[in-house]
């Protein structure tokens, strides 16, 4: 158990047996795991792109390999790993990522207000 989580349990000991607290801890852990996955995705793909350019940064001249930035193998890892990252995001955030539970209600209210404002001036 990490220091932060242990401190949370010590500070909120009365809630540690609460089911809602445990669900919230699991949700935070899943979100933290997703952001760690995203950070690694960005770092590794930047390194792959830099390696594909094959520039000699510390040399006297810069040598760029032909087609380094415009070849498929440079971005294929990012594309396929990105599909996996999207699946991870959907598993963590669920359908709330695009449409929350109250999204439909808010949109209906928004359109009703627009229609009301339009009819007000007629």
């Amino acid at each position: 158990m990490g220091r932060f989580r242990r401190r949370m349990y010590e500070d909120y000991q009365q809630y540690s047996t609460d089911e809602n607290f445990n669900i919230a801890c699991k949700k935070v852990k899943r979100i933290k795991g997703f952001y760690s996955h995203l950070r690694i995705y960005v770092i590794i793909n930047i390194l792959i792109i830099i390696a594909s350019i094959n520039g000699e940064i510390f040399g006297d001249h810069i040598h760029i390999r032909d087609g380094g930035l415009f070849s498929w193998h440079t971005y294929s890892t990012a594309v396929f790993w990105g599909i996996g990252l999207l699946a991870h995001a959907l598993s963590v955030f669920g359908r709330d990522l695009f449409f929350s539970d109250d999204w439909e209600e808010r949109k209906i209210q928004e359109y009703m207000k627009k229609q009301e404002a339009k009819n007000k001036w007629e």
Side-chain angles (χ1 to χ4, degrees):
M1 185 180 312
R3 284 182 287 159
F4 178 72
R5 191 167 179 194
R6 188 177 313 123
R7 191 171 12 139
M8 281 177 45
Y9 277 128
E10 290 170 359
D11 291 344
Y12 301 104
Q13 231 174 12
Q14 68 270 17
Y15 299 116
S16 64
T17 58
D18 185 20
E19 187 65 28
N20 290 333
F21 179 76
N22 292 332
I23 291 171
C25 282
K26 288 178 185 177
K27 179 76 172 173
V28 167
K29 187 174 181 179
R30 290 181 61 171
I31 292 171
K32 182 180 175 184
F34 170 73
Y35 285 126
S36 295
H37 187 185
L38 180 64
R39 181 176 55 236
I40 292 169
Y41 170 82
V42 169
I43 291 169
I44 296 298
N45 283 300
I46 286 173
L47 290 175
I48 289 172
I49 291 171
I50 290 171
S52 293
I53 292 174
N54 195 20
E56 296 178 12
I57 298 172
F58 300 109
D60 293 335
H61 64 284
I62 296 176
H63 173 70
I64 297 177
R65 186 171 38 185
D66 293 335
L69 283 177
F70 302 109
S71 64
W72 166 248
H73 72 83
T74 302
Y75 303 105
S76 62
T77 303
V79 170
F80 293 119
W81 192 355
I83 293 169
L85 187 66
L86 179 64
H88 190 179
L90 289 175
S91 74
V92 170
F93 298 108
R95 66 171 254 199
D96 291 340
L97 185 63
F98 299 111
F99 303 111
S100 63
D101 292 335
D102 63 339
W103 176 83
E104 187 174 338
E105 182 65 31
R106 283 186 288 127
K107 284 309 236 181
I108 290 171
Q109 295 297 327
E110 179 184 327
Y111 287 127
M112 287 175 58
K113 286 179 184 177
K114 284 182 182 179
Q115 188 65 29
E116 183 179 303
K118 183 179 175 183
N119 291 339
K120 185 178 180 180
W121 294 104
E122 289 181 356

